[in-house]
Amino acid sequence: MIEDSIQALRRAARITNDEESEEKVASEKLWCVMAGNDKLIDDIAYDAISSRDRVKILFREHVTLEDERVNKKFDFIMLYGNSYIIEKLSADCKEGGGAYIKITPDYVKQKPNLMVMVGPEDTVRQSVAKIERARVQFGILLDDQTTGFIETDINSKVKLPKFLKEAFNPLFNVSEVVLKTILISVDKDKDVDTVQDIATSNKIFVIDFKDIDMEA
């Protein structure tokens, strides 16, 4: 009985502390982009919807990238809202093997031409190298990468008997494809289109903050 009472008091204290912490940061808002496999982003979306409008889903995308032999499939989502809830969702994302970056209002106010890139790590690195060679002045402000798997399967262009594809696909699904999520700031307005063109040609998804509803 005494032990039960102690545990009940501890639970009540934790709930109170959580509520106080949430209330403390209730006025603070963040943007957050999270990437990973579809199951992980499904869970993040569900929790965001369950947050009683404290966090809004600005958009969600399912992406399939076709290489010569393999299709790479992943999801990403952009959230905006209560920083306390987003901190929790970010921790869940990282624990599930996903990648995330959190953008504070300070970045939006102080840095020019913010753009988020999401894609396979090798392709993101190639895009950044091309942007640098194009003499675009920019900086990488934040970056993160996945530690969990994303779905992959054999491209339909690869000619194999059906039974072999069915045998090989499970092997591809556990292959390590690292997703990279970065936030960059482009110094000059005239260079934004160049960055967009390079990323798009490399099949990198780009989010231009100019296209985001800041009053969401």
Side-chain angles (χ1 to χ4, degrees):
M1 291 291 292
I2 295 176
E3 181 63 26
D4 290 343
S5 298
I6 292 174
Q7 291 180 1
L9 288 172
R10 286 175 177 170
R11 285 195 296 271
R14 282 198 297 269
I15 292 171
T16 300
N17 289 336
D18 284 348
E19 289 175 345
E20 290 176 350
S21 297
E22 183 175 349
E23 183 177 352
K24 182 179 179 181
V25 296
S27 60
E28 298 175 9
K29 300 291 181 69
L30 295 176
W31 291 268
C32 187
V33 177
M34 303 182 188
N37 61 58
D38 57 353
K39 173 63 169 62
L40 173 63
I41 303 304
D42 279 346
D43 292 342
I44 296 295
Y46 178 88
D47 290 340
I49 293 169
S50 301
S51 70
R52 302 193 299 277
D53 291 330
R54 288 174 292 178
V55 171
K56 294 183 179 180
I57 299 174
L58 299 185
F59 61 81
R60 177 190 175 161
E61 294 287 339
H62 178 74
V63 181
T64 299
L65 299 177
E66 294 186 1
D67 285 348
E68 291 183 2
R69 297 182 179 85
V70 178
N71 297 325
K72 302 173 184 178
K73 302 175 183 179
F74 64 91
D75 284 41
F76 68 92
I77 192 169
M78 187 170 193
L79 306 175
Y80 174 73
N82 182 297
S83 61
Y84 183 77
I85 303 297
I86 286 181
E87 291 285 355
K88 286 187 171 183
L89 296 179
S90 299
D92 292 342
C93 177
K94 182 55 66 176
E95 185 177 347
Y100 70 86
I101 52 174
K102 295 177 292 188
I103 302 101
T104 66
D106 287 341
Y107 280 117
V108 177
K109 293 175 183 176
Q110 299 173 10
K111 299 295 183 180
N113 301 314
L114 292 180
M115 305 177 80
V116 177
M117 294 185 181
V118 184
E121 181 186 33
D122 56 345
T123 313
V124 171
R125 288 183 179 276
Q126 291 169 13
S127 296
V128 169
K130 287 183 179 180
I131 293 168
E132 191 275 330
R133 288 197 295 270
R135 301 187 183 280
V136 172
Q137 295 179 4
F138 72 103
I140 298 176
L141 306 178
L142 298 169
D143 71 281
D144 193 25
Q145 63 188 41
T146 58
T147 58
F149 74 92
I150 65 171
E151 184 182 355
T152 58
D153 57 31
I154 299 175
N155 193 300
S156 60
K157 298 175 184 177
V158 176
K159 302 304 180 183
L160 284 176
K162 182 179 180 182
F163 76 94
L164 283 179
K165 284 190 177 183
E166 291 176 349
F168 285 137
N169 273 335
L171 299 178
F172 280 101
N173 281 336
V174 296
S175 64
E176 293 185 1
V177 178
V178 176
L179 291 180
K180 193 82 171 174
T181 308
I182 67 172
L183 175 69
I184 69 170
S185 172
V186 181
D187 291 357
K188 298 179 180 178
D189 294 350
K190 67 181 181 64
D191 289 330
V192 170
D193 287 343
T194 301
V195 173
Q196 182 83 48
D197 290 344
I198 290 173
T200 301
S201 66
N202 279 7
K203 299 181 180 179
I204 296 297
F205 199 95
V206 183
I207 304 165
D208 188 340
F209 257 70
K210 289 180 179 177
D211 298 331
I212 302 299
D213 181 4
M214 295 303 176
E215 302 300 324

